[in-house]
Amino acid sequence: LEQAAIQGNLTGEGWRCRKDETQFFAYEVLTALHAGDGRLTGFSLITRDITALRVAAQARDVAEDELRASKQGLEHSVTELERHLREIGTLNELSDRLQASNDVEEVTAAVTRTGDALFPGSAGVLFQLKASHTVAEVAASWGDPSTTVPTAMQVDDCWALRSSGNVVYLESKHSLPPCPHAGTKGFARTLRLRLHAREEVIGVLHIAFPESA
């Protein structure tokens, strides 16, 4: 009342209770009343039920939050799709170069020359299948695959070499069962591609991607 007397009027909002004890959300205007000579004679209070407006405003806020969240989710999905398309394009480019190779030496040269450029931030190892077809040894590498990647492995230990057909394995750090050469520290996912030259299996390419890739 003191503030209304000083300012002339005062507005506010809040929950109010009717005589029948039902509640409603009100908008109120408290106005100071003065006589002709300026004396304060009383106050008037006008109360308006704006419950419906409040409910509508809350519903609008919820809808806006949901729309904002949906937009953010869509933007994330688009970003992920673009990333996957870039990865597919990169793999196709590497595949074309590898398929054009005539022997292990050309494959090794293609991998070492283009691996880091095609997969920035990654680490890669090319395992060459030996004549016995039971052992594969490291023929080339880039990045830092860490000491957990062996310099040689048994063919039976690699899913990509054991399976039939043209095989690509994408494996997260939670995948089971992992290959022994997939235990690359500091990397979230590994990609293994079986390599061919003149329709003959010559090895497997192991690529490890960091958490941010």
Side-chain angles (χ1 to χ4, degrees):
L1 295 177
E2 291 179 357
Q3 291 181 2
I6 296 172
Q7 299 178 15
N9 61 66
L10 196 66
T11 62
E13 295 180 352
W15 288 100
R16 300 292 183 266
C17 187
R18 299 186 181 90
K19 291 182 180 181
D20 62 1
E21 298 185 354
T22 59
Q23 292 186 331
F24 66 99
F25 198 79
Y27 174 78
E28 296 178 331
V29 180
L30 179 64
T31 304
L33 304 177
H34 298 85
D37 57 4
R39 289 180 298 107
L40 179 65
T41 59
F43 298 88
S44 71
L45 178 64
I46 300 175
T47 301
R48 182 186 177 190
D49 184 352
I50 60 169
T51 306
L53 293 177
R54 177 179 171 80
V55 171
Q58 291 177 331
R60 179 202 61 205
D61 292 341
V62 171
E64 289 178 350
D65 290 342
E66 292 177 348
L67 180 60
R68 191 177 300 109
S70 176
K71 180 181 178 182
Q72 292 174 347
L74 179 60
E75 290 175 349
H76 176 72
S77 297
V78 170
T79 300
E80 284 295 299
L81 177 60
E82 291 175 345
R83 181 178 63 81
H84 286 308
L85 290 176
R86 287 195 300 271
E87 287 183 355
I88 291 173
T90 301
L91 290 175
N92 287 337
E93 180 179 352
L94 179 59
S95 176
D96 290 342
R97 297 186 183 190
L98 294 177
Q99 289 181 17
S101 300
N102 289 320
D103 51 38
V104 175
E105 286 71 23
E106 290 186 0
V107 170
T108 301
V111 170
T112 54
R113 184 173 59 251
T114 63
D116 190 49
L118 291 175
F119 302 98
S122 67
V125 178
L126 172 62
F127 289 92
Q128 176 185 346
L129 194 62
K130 306 306 290 183
S132 64
H133 283 234
T134 60
V135 177
E137 295 181 349
V138 173
S141 66
W142 73 86
D144 182 16
S146 88
T147 56
T148 61
V149 176
T151 57
M153 65 175 177
Q154 296 294 319
V155 170
D156 288 343
D157 291 335
C158 179
W159 287 96
L161 290 176
R162 286 165 51 187
S163 301
S164 60
N166 295 320
V167 181
V168 176
Y169 279 97
L170 181 60
E171 188 176 77
S172 73
K173 58 184 177 182
H174 303 297
S175 296
L176 292 175
C179 291
H181 56 288
T184 312
K185 293 182 179 179
F187 293 87
R189 294 173 300 156
T190 59
L191 180 69
R192 303 192 304 283
L193 303 92
R194 190 164 64 178
L195 305 179
H196 298 75
R198 295 183 177 178
E199 300 184 355
E200 179 183 356
V201 178
I202 60 172
V204 62
L205 179 62
H206 166 85
I207 306 173
F209 298 93
E211 296 281 354
S212 59

